[in-house]
Amino acid sequence: MGDLRRRVYLSPPDVGPAEREALVDAFDSGWIAPLGPHVEQFERSAASRTGRAAGAALSSGTAALHLALRLAGVGSGDRVHVSTLTFVATANAVRYRGAEPVFIDSAVGSWTLDPAALAEQLELDAQRGRLPAAVVAVDLYGQCADYSQIEPLCERYEVPLIEDAAESLGARVGNRPAGSFGHSAILSFNGNKIITTSGGGMLVADDTELVARARWLASQAREPVAHYEHQTVGYNYRLSNLLAGMGVAQLQGLDAKVQARRANYARYRSALEPEGIEFIDEPDGHFNTHWLTAVLVPESFGVSPETIREHLETYDIESRPVWKPLHLQPAFSDAQVVGGSVAEGLFHRGLCLPSGSNLSAEDRERVIAGIFEARDRSRAG
Ligand SMILES: *Cc1c(COP(=O)(O)O)cnc(C)c1O
């Protein structure tokens, strides 16, 4: 029997009257498109939140990655070192530049880019005179990568570092916010992210000229003359002013949304860890968004993550496998991989639980009960 209650989604948009009002306010201002004061306000607020000098509001996080790579100098035939355990957008953007991703394994415990594997590969690259054109580190599920090691490594080899902070806006390490690491960072405001403009992204950086160039490339790279003059190929990547209005309102609620996601994680952990389910540790000094609560279901738990997922689905509860490592994706089957077994293990035993900032405590308990029920049935059966 299906439950009559509504479906519990993995990470649905969390919007309310404030966002509706902001959208109508942007509409009433007369600045419908393409740009306007709400875009500027959104860019200033997001740059300030990430400790950066400036930001360029864009149509998606993927567009932001594409521009970040181009502005870091990545071009045809270059290699770019990328975390293998991530959403495909990170590596797609590398291919948009005609470059080749080199996939780097996750570290045990943090699940983020393994600094030791990166160090080994960079040393090998340097010996062969084939350093990559950039490194893209991903703040997986809202935990900043280990920048205390990754930043100095990239500096030593003079390779630009790009932070993929699509899942970590609102996180920090010590007093450094997510989005503040490396040469530039990218944010996503897709519908499933911590804050949303229904679709959107941003490139943030300390170099205001680089950000100005991103805005220009994102507006078809038109030369500043009266007629349409173009010396380079640009893109149509800007965010609409209406959506930026919504983004300003969402950003004002960021801390509360992060707290709600952290509360999901804390509750799941207190209920499931004593029963043998494993969680990503929050290392000392880190403050994670826990965008998604991702867990490991060890064999000793008695039921596979896939069986749990299917069982939750019978209650109309959405859960998902952990990202499939990109070195296992057919689209990237010819790419080089450094290690890979840690990420593969996380994929095979991992599961992402409903983690929305608007997930009710009641629904969260249904998720937990569903997991135990799946286990008990499997043990009995
Ligand atoms: C969502 C996401 C992106 C892409 O952002 P879009 O706005 O959907 O284009 C890139 N990287 C990571 C890690 C993501 O989770």
Side-chain angles (χ1 to χ4, degrees), residues 60-63 65 86-87 89-90 138 164 166-167 186 188-190 192-193 200 291 323:
S60 70
T62 311
L65 275 164
T86 180
F87 182 50
T90 318
V138 177
D164 183 340
E167 303 171 4
I186 73 96
S188 167
F189 313 118
N190 192 40
N192 62 346
K193 297 292 158 58
W291 169 57
W323 299 129

Side-chain angles (χ1 to χ4, degrees), residues 60-106:
S60 70
T62 311
L65 275 164
H66 187 186
L67 292 178
L69 289 163
R70 176 160 169 177
L71 291 166
V74 175
S76 184
D78 283 337
R79 296 154 76 240
V80 177
H81 296 358
V82 177
S83 314
T84 192
L85 194 61
T86 180
F87 182 50
V88 70
T90 318
N92 279 346
V94 172
R95 281 274 174 85
Y96 298 166
R97 291 300 299 145
E100 273 307 310
V102 173
F103 294 117
I104 312 279
D105 206 353
S106 298

Side-chain angles (χ1 to χ4, degrees), residues 15-355:
V15 296
E19 284 74 20
R20 186 177 185 281
E21 205 173 295
L23 202 55
V24 172
D25 179 63
F27 184 94
D28 290 344
S29 75
W31 296 92
I32 307 296
L35 296 169
H38 297 83
V39 166
E40 283 156 40
Q41 195 190 344
F42 188 37
E43 289 176 339
R44 271 199 309 274
S45 320
S48 147
R49 246 339 271 237
T50 52
R52 295 288 199 174
L58 302 166
S59 52
S60 70
T62 311
L65 275 164
H66 187 186
L67 292 178
L69 289 163
R70 176 160 169 177
L71 291 166
V74 175
S76 184
D78 283 337
R79 296 154 76 240
V80 177
H81 296 358
V82 177
S83 314
T84 192
L85 194 61
T86 180
F87 182 50
V88 70
T90 318
N92 279 346
V94 172
R95 281 274 174 85
Y96 298 166
R97 291 300 299 145
E100 273 307 310
V102 173
F103 294 117
I104 312 279
D105 206 353
S106 298
V108 177
S110 76
W111 302 33
T112 53
L113 187 128
D114 182 0
L118 179 67
E120 231 169 86
Q121 185 57 38
L122 286 173
E123 183 50 36
L124 212 61
D125 295 337
Q127 282 167 14
R128 293 178 183 157
R130 266 198 94 203
L131 281 166
V135 169
V136 185
V138 177
D139 299 342
L140 195 75
Y141 298 127
Q143 169 161 303
C144 287
D146 187 356
Y147 295 110
S148 67
Q149 295 196 62
I150 296 168
E151 262 189 338
L153 260 177
C154 290
E155 274 162 29
R156 185 185 323 151
Y157 294 98
E158 296 178 11
V159 177
L161 169 65
I162 296 165
E163 178 190 5
D164 183 340
E167 303 171 4
S168 62
L169 180 60
R172 39 177 207 273
V173 186
N175 54 12
R176 285 195 62 184
S180 71
F181 299 95
H183 156 277
S184 59
I186 73 96
L187 311 174
S188 167
F189 313 118
N190 192 40
N192 62 346
K193 297 292 158 58
I194 297 164
I195 65 166
T196 186
T197 55
S198 80
M202 201 175 294
L203 182 151
V204 292
D206 296 324
D207 179 347
T208 53
E209 265 170 46
L210 180 140
V211 174
R213 203 166 161 78
R215 293 190 191 112
W216 174 76
L217 282 172
S219 326
Q220 305 287 19
R222 188 179 164 196
E223 296 299 326
V225 293
H227 66 278
Y228 287 91
E229 179 77 14
H230 305 274
Q231 292 183 13
T232 186
V233 174
Y235 317 90
N236 181 6
Y237 274 175
R238 283 297 251 163
L239 184 70
S240 109
N241 195 59
L242 292 186
L243 300 183
M246 194 173 151
V248 171
Q250 284 268 288
L251 206 48
Q252 281 163 359
L254 174 64
D255 289 325
K257 293 187 198 311
V258 169
Q259 283 305 343
R261 287 185 189 259
R262 288 175 60 82
N264 291 333
Y265 170 88
R267 174 60 194 143
Y268 285 134
R269 189 165 184 171
S270 74
L272 300 172
E273 196 173 48
E275 303 292 324
I277 300 254
E278 294 168 24
F279 286 74
I280 303 178
D281 246 336
E282 197 167 32
D284 272 351
H286 281 248
F287 179 89
N288 298 354
T289 62
H290 293 299
W291 169 57
L292 297 184
T293 295
V295 299
L296 276 192
V297 183
E299 224 143 310
S300 55
F301 190 68
V303 61
S304 73
E306 181 55 16
T307 305
I308 294 175
R309 193 191 67 75
E310 285 167 357
H311 187 67
L312 291 176
E313 196 55 53
T314 65
Y315 289 105
D316 222 1
I317 294 170
E318 181 185 33
S319 60
R320 291 264 182 99
V322 162
W323 299 129
K324 180 174 178 180
L326 297 184
H327 70 271
L328 300 180
Q329 299 287 358
F332 294 100
S333 58
D334 53 350
Q336 189 194 332
V337 56
V338 181
S341 59
V342 176
E344 286 169 27
L346 296 170
F347 171 58
H348 286 121
R349 301 304 311 181
L351 188 66
C352 296
L353 303 179
S355 300

